[in-house]
């Protein structure tokens, strides 16, 4: 064998860089010590992320499908104790913002309601420059080190040989990857929960995911976790409903946001912060603040409310604003700083690098939606799409002929860094199961049922049995009962119990309501037909409208129906153009004798009931429920019967759904 052929044989067995250099470790970035910052000299990290960032033009690689809105942010009280950031220390300041919500997996042409993580990115146009809080609707992420991000997304996206499935994780490559990366187990159980199916962007939490720093005027650093809490409560769809909405109204979430703002129902979120003094950084069992796959339970560190975000204006042009907005975790202002989280460190490179391809060059910050609301002065010049016309002779620093730096700008927190250069994961990142168990323990009975059903559905699409078996083995380390329930649905042998459940839970992780919430902007469908009582429908509509509930009257066709007094009443739209899945409740009034024989009306009631929604009927309207196999004698607070349903409807809407129903006999 020749030297040349020996060389080729050697390289066929190993991963290499684009230059043919063998790669010893593609799972850990080069750091100064196991918990230290990532190093710029890591050529493998830079090449891997650079190649990934430039894979698609011009659509975002992830978060391609989104919706955005303008708004304002105000703090409640000055946070001078923690930070010098101007927008967090001046309660009189009203900081303009632009927020973009998004799905992660799908292309721009995909639907709004798949099982997926949702992006929640906020650009604050502060008086010290732009600060971007680029987070998700889940507080943790799949991976611990950003060098694995290309692998995660490649596995999650459609399989490359046939480009299927679109915006779905129910396929072999995704589950092959996660079962070979145990660090994904915590985020994975969030993805299998109803958190992956938000009712609307307006009813969705947001999280900064990473641990950041706030730095005060004395140079003291405090670790922080950022939380967004919606004023309308945190609510979700169910999976069957979400799938049907994808066909009935693929723009369901973006339409909901747009219409609410146009109607003056401005959505708002409270910004909360978990403050962790530096001296407490190592006091949490099994939690490293630099590990993005972990959260800090609110029982250990409460969330302190600090301000309110309100979205009050829709974009003037989708492309110019929502599509061209460029977020970056690297956009921070004085008083806020980074930590050595290796996922965050990689994002600091990746976001800026991505914009160069997606927005055509280095001057994307000059686009109106990205432009700071403060003057920009520097010596950057030229490049594609330069919009400024610089004046003067000096385009360098230092100089004596033009603008000079006064030395009063951003300074990084002077953290001591010391350690060997090595590709190594900190031993404090090694626990991959206890927080997945924490999440499972925190769920209500119906939330657990939905999680088991999600694992069964997703893994049921996996054709490689060994991958299913591996996943059950991982779940057995989360909770034995969970593993047994999932195994029973996917043809895998029941595992032998391997570990005991630690028994810890956190109430903040469950979406099961503990008290009634607001009903403003909920949508109720009233099924109409000839003979309906005009007075009854008008009274119900007025009563619900007083509480901010939107009522839509659905007729057999567009136009009008004849009421019991012989006069026509206009309907909102034809029943055939919509479905129960786009409403929060369904009402069948008295007097409409024909509806019991209308298959579409019966389906409306049956489907809403199966999805746990409030269903109301009066008089002959009850015949529709009987045809739908709904038991009228059931003890169900969300099943409202009688001539005065408004109070019961409002109470049921305030707790979102009733998932305790027996729905076995209800038609599909």
């Amino acid at each position: 064998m020749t030297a040349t052929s020996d060389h080729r044989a050697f390289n066929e067995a190993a991963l290499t860089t684009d230059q043919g250099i063998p790669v010893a470790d593609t799972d850990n970035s080069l750091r100064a010590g196991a918990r230290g910052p990532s190093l710029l000299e890591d050529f493998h990290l830079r090449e891997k992320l650079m190649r990934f960032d430039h894979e698609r033009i011009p659509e975002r690689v992830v978060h391609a499908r989104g919706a955005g809105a303008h708004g304002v942010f105000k703090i409640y009280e000055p946070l001078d104790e923690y930070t010098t950031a101007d927008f967090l220390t001046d309660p009189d300041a009203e900081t303009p913002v632009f927020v973009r919500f998004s799905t992660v997996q799908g292309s721009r042409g995909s639907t709004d309601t798949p099982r997926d993580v949702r992006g929640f990115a906020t650009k604050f146009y502060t008086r010290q420059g732009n600060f971007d809080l680029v987070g998700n609707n889940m507080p943790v992420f799949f991976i611990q080190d950003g060098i694995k991000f290309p692998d995660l997304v490649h596995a999650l996206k459609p399989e490359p040989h046939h480009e299927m499935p679109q915006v779905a994780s129910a396929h072999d490559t995704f589950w092959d990857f996660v079962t070979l990366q145990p660090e994904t187990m915590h985020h994975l159980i969030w993805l299998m929960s109803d958190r992956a199916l938000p009712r609307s962007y307006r009813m969705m939490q947001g999280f900064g995911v990473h641990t950041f720093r706030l730095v005060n005027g004395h140079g003291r650093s405090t670790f922080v976790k950022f939380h967004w809490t919606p004023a309308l409560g945190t609510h979700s769809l169910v999976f069957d409903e979400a799938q049907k909405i994808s066909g009935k109204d693929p723009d369901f979430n973006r339409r909901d946001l747009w219409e609410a703002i146009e109607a003056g129902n401005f959505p708002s979120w409270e910004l909360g912060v978990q403050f962790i003094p530096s001296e407490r950084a190592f006091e949490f069992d099994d939690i490293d603040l630099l590990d993005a796959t972990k959260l800090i339970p609110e029982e250990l560190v409460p969330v302190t409310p600090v301000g309110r975000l309100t979205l009050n204006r829709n974009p003037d042009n989708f492309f110019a604003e929502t599509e061209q907005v460029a977020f970056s975790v690297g956009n921070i202002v004085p008083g806020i700083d980074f930590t050595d989280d290796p996922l965050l460190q990689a994002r600091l490179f990746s976001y800026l690098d991505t914009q160069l391809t997606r927005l055509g060059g280095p001057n994307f910050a000059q686009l109106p939606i990205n432009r700071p609301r403060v003057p920009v002065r520097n010596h950057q010049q030229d490049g594609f799409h330069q919009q400024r016309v610089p004046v003067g002779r000096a385009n360098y620093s230092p100089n004596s002929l033009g603008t000079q730096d006064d030395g009063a700008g951003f300074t990084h927190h002077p953290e001591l860094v010391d350690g060997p250069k090595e590709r190594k994961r900190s031993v404090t990142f090694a626990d991959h199961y206890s927080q997945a168990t924490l999440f499972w323990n925190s769920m209500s009975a119906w939330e657990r049922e939905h999680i088991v059903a999600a694992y069964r559905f997703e893994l049921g699409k996996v054709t490689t049995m060994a991958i299913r078996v591996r996943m059950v083995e991982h779940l057995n380390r989360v909770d034995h009962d969970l593993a047994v329930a999932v195994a029973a649905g996917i043809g895998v042998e029941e595992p032998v119990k391997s570990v005991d459940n630690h028994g810890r839970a956190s109430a903040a992780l469950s979406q099961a309501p503990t008290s009634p919430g607001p009903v403003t902007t909920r949508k109720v469908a009233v099924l109409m037909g000839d003979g309906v009582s005009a007075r009854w429908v008008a009274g119900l509509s007025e009563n619900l409208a007083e509480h901010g509930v939107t009522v839509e009257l659905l007729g057999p066709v567009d136009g009008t129906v004849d009421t019991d007094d012989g006069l026509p009443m206009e309907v909102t739209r034809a029943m055939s153009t919509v479905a129960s899945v786009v409403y929060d409740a369904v009402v069948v009034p008295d007097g409409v004798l024909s509806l019991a024989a209308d298959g579409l009306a019966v389906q409306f009631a049956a489907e809403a009931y199966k999805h746990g929604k409030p269903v109301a009927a009066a008089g002959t309207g009850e015949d529709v429920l009987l045809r739908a196999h709904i038991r009228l004698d059931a003890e169900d607070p969300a099943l409202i019967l009688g001539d005065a349903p408004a109070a019961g409807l409002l109470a049921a809407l305030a707790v979102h759904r009733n998932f305790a129903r027996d729905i076995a006999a209800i038609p599909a």
Side-chain angles (χ1 to χ4, degrees):
M1 186 177 289
T2 66
T4 301
S5 61
D6 285 343
H7 178 70
R8 288 176 179 169
F10 171 79
N11 278 294
E12 286 173 358
L15 293 174
T16 74
T17 69
D18 283 350
Q19 308 304 317
I21 302 168
V23 174
D25 183 349
T26 192
D27 292 338
N28 298 285
S29 55
L30 188 65
R31 299 194 272 277
R35 298 186 72 257
S38 301
L39 301 179
L40 188 61
E41 73 178 72
D42 189 350
F43 60 89
H44 177 45
L45 168 69
R46 287 186 285 112
E47 179 190 87
K48 188 174 180 181
L49 289 176
M50 179 273 293
R51 287 300 306 272
F52 172 74
D53 293 339
H54 296 271
E55 283 181 353
R56 289 174 176 82
I57 300 172
E59 184 179 280
R60 287 172 170 87
V61 177
V62 287
H63 298 277
R65 181 174 181 82
H70 296 272
V72 294
F73 174 79
K74 290 192 70 172
I75 60 162
Y76 300 143
E77 300 291 339
L79 299 178
D80 307 75
E81 176 185 354
Y82 301 102
T83 182
T84 59
D86 180 75
F87 79 106
L88 294 177
T89 57
D90 182 1
D92 295 325
E94 192 172 75
T95 304
V97 301
F98 186 82
V99 176
R100 187 176 186 273
F101 305 103
S102 56
T103 55
V104 171
Q105 302 175 47
S107 64
R108 279 189 64 187
S110 59
T111 67
D112 278 354
T113 59
R115 179 176 297 283
D116 198 4
V117 183
R118 300 306 192 280
F120 192 134
T122 308
K123 186 179 290 290
F124 298 82
Y125 302 95
T126 86
R127 295 180 297 202
Q128 295 172 299
N130 290 352
F131 167 57
D132 292 353
L133 183 55
V134 194
N136 290 327
N137 72 322
M138 301 178 189
V140 294
F141 200 63
F142 288 103
I143 53 175
Q144 297 172 325
D145 192 316
I147 200 170
K148 295 301 297 176
F149 192 67
D151 300 305
L152 168 67
V153 177
H154 286 168
L156 186 59
K157 287 282 191 174
E159 297 189 10
H161 63 302
H162 57 30
E163 188 63 14
M164 294 187 289
Q166 173 64 241
V167 70
S169 51
H171 57 102
D172 283 38
T173 59
F174 173 72
W175 290 92
D176 181 47
F177 175 81
V178 296
T179 56
L180 296 172
Q181 293 285 144
E183 68 200 65
T184 62
M185 290 301 125
H186 186 202
H187 194 188
L188 193 58
I189 198 169
W190 280 79
L191 184 65
M192 295 299 104
S193 78
D194 290 352
R195 296 283 188 151
L197 307 167
R199 159 61 179 80
S200 75
Y201 293 135
R202 300 179 297 118
M203 301 173 193
M204 183 179 82
Q205 282 186 295
F207 303 90
V209 179
H210 304 287
T211 301
F212 290 87
R213 295 179 188 273
L214 295 182
V215 183
N216 69 11
H218 302 290
R220 181 169 62 86
S221 165
T222 303
F223 295 116
V224 292
K225 293 273 194 180
F226 294 112
H227 298 242
W228 292 114
T229 301
L232 293 176
T234 305
H235 300 294
S236 293
L237 305 169
V238 293
F239 189 46
D240 178 66
E241 179 185 18
Q243 290 177 300
K244 290 173 178 175
I245 290 173
S246 285
K248 296 288 185 180
D249 184 4
D251 303 302
F252 181 70
N253 288 145
R254 60 166 63 177
R255 189 188 312 281
D256 173 271
L257 179 67
W258 181 278
E259 291 181 348
I261 294 173
E262 287 295 291
N265 296 315
F266 300 145
S268 68
W269 291 259
E270 187 168 67
L271 179 63
V273 180
Q274 287 180 296
F275 295 103
I276 308 104
S278 298
E279 57 271 18
R280 294 190 63 191
F282 296 99
E283 75 172 44
F284 306 107
D285 293 340
D286 303 323
I287 304 172
D288 191 317
L289 295 183
L290 305 185
D291 182 356
T293 67
K294 305 293 192 303
L295 55 80
I296 304 175
E298 293 182 27
E299 290 78 6
L300 298 180
V301 179
V303 176
T304 301
V306 301
R308 182 161 295 278
L309 163 71
T310 302
L311 299 182
N312 56 19
R313 180 167 66 87
N314 280 315
D316 293 317
N317 182 274
F318 182 89
F319 177 79
E321 297 171 277
T322 305
E323 187 61 25
Q324 288 197 126
V325 66
F327 294 97
S328 173
V329 290
N331 293 344
I332 58 173
V333 295
I336 303 176
D337 209 340
F338 311 116
T339 59
D340 293 334
D341 174 346
L343 178 62
L344 173 60
Q345 293 274 315
R347 292 180 75 194
L348 293 175
F349 166 80
S350 189
Y351 278 72
L352 179 61
D353 184 50
T354 298
Q355 315 303 350
L356 299 177
T357 292
R358 196 173 67 81
L359 296 174
N363 292 307
F364 61 85
Q366 297 177 24
L367 294 169
I369 192 62
N370 298 318
R371 192 180 302 151
R373 306 294 172 87
V374 295
V376 173
R377 295 182 295 270
N378 57 49
H379 299 307
Q380 329 281 33
Q381 69 173 39
D382 304 344
F384 288 110
H385 312 304
Q386 173 61 259
Q387 298 175 48
R388 296 195 187 101
V389 182
V391 296
R393 300 166 61 188
N395 59 355
Y396 52 89
S397 182
N399 73 78
S400 61
L401 304 175
T403 301
Q404 283 294 312
D405 179 12
D406 64 6
F410 184 95
T411 57
H412 291 271
H413 179 66
E415 183 182 19
L416 178 65
V417 174
D418 182 28
K421 293 188 294 186
E422 54 187 348
R423 295 188 185 276
K424 186 177 181 182
R425 201 78 56 99
S426 171
V427 295
T428 55
F429 282 35
D431 174 21
H432 303 318
Y433 300 99
S434 67
Q435 289 217 332
T437 305
L438 178 79
F439 186 82
W440 174 254
N441 292 347
S442 305
M443 297 295 100
S444 64
W446 58 264
E447 287 174 307
R448 291 187 181 191
E449 290 177 4
H450 293 179
I451 289 171
V452 170
Y455 275 116
R456 286 179 170 184
F457 177 89
E458 299 275 317
L459 289 165
K461 302 284 188 178
V462 172
T463 61
T464 307
M465 183 56 68
I467 296 175
R468 299 189 189 191
V469 172
R470 283 205 305 264
M471 190 63 225
V472 170
E473 291 171 350
H474 285 300
L475 291 176
N476 202 31
R477 299 188 62 179
V478 174
D479 180 81
H480 179 64
D481 292 338
L482 169 61
V484 169
V486 173
I490 60 172
V492 172
E493 184 177 345
E494 179 177 316
V496 176
K497 186 175 182 179
S498 59
V499 295
D500 290 326
N501 186 311
H502 57 56
R504 298 191 299 274
S506 176
L509 303 183
S510 173
Q511 289 190 104
T514 55
S515 60
V519 298
T520 307
T521 73
R522 294 290 184 149
K523 294 179 68 175
V524 174
V526 179
L527 308 187
M528 303 284 284
D530 292 339
V532 70
S533 169
R535 180 177 298 179
W536 191 92
V537 171
L540 174 68
S541 300
E542 290 172 8
N543 205 329
L544 294 179
E546 289 176 359
H547 293 82
V549 176
T550 298
V551 177
E552 293 194 352
L553 310 181
L554 309 182
V557 294
D558 277 332
T560 62
V561 295
D562 292 329
T563 64
D564 58 350
D565 57 12
L567 298 176
M569 175 178 272
E570 188 173 354
V571 300
T572 311
R573 54 176 52 88
M575 195 186 310
S576 59
T577 65
V578 285
S580 75
V581 292
V582 299
Y583 295 95
D584 295 295
V586 172
V587 177
V588 191
D590 188 16
V592 188
L593 298 175
S594 61
L595 286 185
D598 186 328
L600 189 55
V602 172
Q603 181 184 357
F604 245 89
E607 193 170 56
Y609 189 83
K610 289 193 73 167
H611 294 152
K613 297 177 180 179
V615 175
T620 57
E622 294 183 5
D623 293 340
V624 174
L625 306 194
L626 291 172
R627 287 290 301 274
H629 300 276
I630 297 172
R631 285 183 51 203
L632 303 188
D633 60 348
E635 293 185 8
D636 183 348
L639 179 62
I640 303 101
L641 306 175
D643 290 333
L649 272 171
L650 291 168
L653 286 169
V655 293
H656 188 54
R657 304 285 177 92
N658 176 21
F659 291 116
R661 285 174 173 162
D662 179 9
I663 59 174
I666 309 300

